[in-house]
Amino acid sequence: MTGGKIQKKRHGAGAAGGGCGARLQGGIPFEKSKGQHILRNPALVDSIVAKAGLKPTDTVLEIGPGTGNLTKRLIEAGVKAVVAVELDPRMVLELNRRFQGHPLSSRLKVIQGDVLKCDLPYFDICVANIPYQISSPLTFKLLSHRPIFRCAVIMFQHEFAMRLVAQPGDSLYCRLSINVQLLSRVSHLLKVGRNNFRPPPKVDSSVVRIEPRKPLPPVSFKEWDGLVRICFNRKNKTLGSLFKQKRVLELLEKNYKTMQSLQLAQDAEMGEEKMSADDVALLANMVEDLSMETGDEKEDDEMEMDDADMAGDGAASFKEKIMGILQQGDFAEKRGSKLSQVDFLYLLSLFNKAGIHFS
């Protein structure tokens, strides 16, 4: 019910709002384009609140509160405060009417706005039932938020949730999986059938728990994502084949020469560089190619470069350098879809130690 572009053609509109014909008690129609699907099962609402592990000192961020079913449970759970961010002004009015005169209304603050555009306040825990079309950008906006929160318990489209928790070798394992898991620990809590919503969406949902890693991994995210982009461009091709592509070799050689000319061919320094909030925030701009990847997502026409195609001995030598690094770590015949977070970190360290950078 909060934020993001209105995307009418996306299937499985979010879990926060509704479709044609469904109305609130006051006769206000739900808007399908805003992903308005109200969670109506009280037992499920209670389960979500219980799994959040709330404390009396917690400030809870709720995204897309809708008519306030989850909001009410959160306030009555005894937390310090609930900050609800809602895009739809009609829902804001409904919330204010519902909690007017409530003995715990002083604990509720409602912010009308787009959660993807507004500055988020301090919070300890995020509990949200969101429109599915903002799943990817919202996830990474939360992970880039400072100070780091304790955890987020969020309702996602089931398939998106399965991508978040996918492991190497799983069919849904993708850039989204590896990037989210680099920054957080992700666990699947429960699957939620579509009939638990009013009106029911077209797909099932799942509740996921996201716990940001503290501290963040000692790696530059620009470097990390540059490597992961290449490896998941065609995730079922061998790394040896991917790194022989002309475009990839030209990019890496350009970076290599730039670093050398600036005398920044670092050995250990890049390994010691820590990920910053600004570094992580880059992810929020990667919505389209991170949200619902599948297998060999990008059908490009890139060809592998044979030595005869290399312009001069320098280019051929650089290609040999890249292949040597892959062989050193026994990565040449491996595929991105099978590599773990540790594998990617190790491969990145091998490249960086050899003066090869991805940003």
Side-chain angles (χ1 to χ4, degrees):
M1 300 244 301
T2 55
K5 299 177 181 177
I6 295 177
Q7 302 182 33
K8 296 183 178 180
K9 294 184 179 179
R10 290 272 181 104
H11 70 284
C20 298
R23 293 177 178 271
L24 299 178
Q25 293 177 354
I28 303 174
F30 293 117
E31 294 185 9
K32 182 178 180 181
S33 62
K34 291 181 180 177
Q36 294 176 341
H37 297 266
I38 302 301
L39 188 58
R40 67 178 186 175
N41 185 335
L44 185 56
V45 173
D46 289 339
S47 178
I48 292 172
V49 173
K51 291 179 182 297
L54 300 175
K55 299 178 181 179
T57 55
D58 283 340
T59 294
V60 181
L61 174 67
E62 185 186 6
I63 299 167
T67 56
N69 293 342
L70 180 57
T71 312
K72 182 174 184 292
R73 296 295 201 284
L74 290 171
I75 292 175
E76 294 173 350
V79 297
K80 178 180 179 182
V82 174
V83 179
V85 183
E86 173 58 59
L87 178 65
D88 192 338
R90 304 169 310 150
M91 298 298 178
V92 172
L93 290 174
E94 180 71 17
L95 279 172
N96 288 331
R97 281 197 296 265
R98 179 170 185 174
F99 291 98
Q100 185 176 11
H102 191 287
L104 300 177
S105 61
S106 62
R107 297 183 183 180
L108 174 63
K109 178 181 180 181
V110 180
I111 299 174
Q112 181 182 338
D114 185 336
V115 71
L116 298 181
K117 297 178 181 178
C118 68
D119 293 329
L120 297 179
Y122 171 87
F123 64 95
D124 300 290
I125 288 186
C126 175
V127 181
N129 175 27
I130 67 170
Y132 291 151
Q133 61 262 39
I134 67 169
S135 295
S136 185
L138 176 62
T139 298
F140 291 113
K141 177 164 185 172
L142 291 175
L143 289 174
S144 65
H145 182 74
R146 295 297 178 273
I148 295 177
F149 56 94
R150 190 163 78 248
C151 80
V153 176
I154 303 178
M155 182 91 70
F156 291 114
Q157 178 183 344
H158 178 67
E159 184 177 345
F160 184 90
M162 292 300 97
R163 292 182 188 280
L164 292 181
V165 301
Q167 296 299 306
D170 293 349
S171 61
L172 294 178
Y173 188 61
C174 58
R175 278 179 61 216
L176 176 68
S177 315
I178 193 70
N179 281 330
V180 171
Q181 292 171 28
L182 175 75
L183 306 174
S184 63
R185 296 177 180 85
V186 190
S187 55
H188 181 264
L189 298 181
L190 61 116
K191 185 176 181 180
V192 180
R194 62 197 75 182
N195 291 329
N196 288 285
F197 300 93
R198 178 168 57 93
K202 295 180 180 179
V203 294
D204 291 334
S205 304
S206 278
V207 179
V208 169
R209 183 182 180 92
I210 300 174
E211 299 177 62
R213 295 187 185 276
K214 302 177 187 178
L216 287 171
V219 61
S220 163
F221 185 76
K222 292 181 181 179
E223 287 286 301
W224 167 270
D225 190 60
L227 170 63
V228 171
R229 276 179 178 271
I230 294 173
C231 295
F232 277 94
N233 182 49
R234 299 289 297 275
K235 71 177 186 179
N236 290 316
K237 292 190 70 173
T238 65
L239 299 191
S241 295
L242 290 172
F243 280 89
K244 286 179 183 177
Q245 291 180 353
K246 181 179 180 180
R247 173 179 53 82
V248 173
L249 287 170
E250 288 178 346
L251 172 64
L252 295 183
E253 186 172 15
K254 179 181 178 181
N255 290 347
Y256 180 69
K257 290 179 177 179
T258 300
M259 298 294 279
Q260 284 194 324
S261 67
L262 296 174
Q263 297 183 347
L264 292 176
Q266 307 146 332
D267 291 327
E269 185 174 342
M270 285 303 297
E272 295 171 358
E273 183 178 351
K274 293 185 178 181
M275 194 180 300
S276 67
D278 290 340
D279 211 14
V280 177
L282 294 172
L283 283 165
N285 298 320
M286 302 176 185
V287 184
E288 294 303 324
D289 57 348
L290 270 176
S291 58
M292 294 301 291
E293 298 174 327
T294 51
D296 290 340
E297 296 82 16
K298 298 183 180 179
E299 295 294 335
D300 54 43
D301 296 324
E302 289 290 340
M303 302 297 293
E304 295 180 9
M305 291 189 69
D306 295 326
D307 291 340
D309 299 324
M310 307 298 286
D313 294 338
S317 175
F318 186 78
K319 176 185 174 184
E320 291 177 1
K321 183 180 184 71
I322 296 296
M323 293 303 108
I325 294 170
L326 293 176
Q327 291 166 4
Q328 176 186 350
D330 194 27
F331 286 107
E333 297 302 317
K334 293 183 178 179
R335 293 165 170 77
S337 61
K338 302 291 196 275
L339 297 184
S340 67
Q341 181 183 130
V342 172
D343 292 329
F344 279 112
L345 288 170
Y346 177 46
L347 179 57
L348 181 59
S349 71
L350 291 178
F351 276 118
N352 287 170
K353 287 177 182 179
I356 308 296
H357 296 278
F358 295 84
S359 63

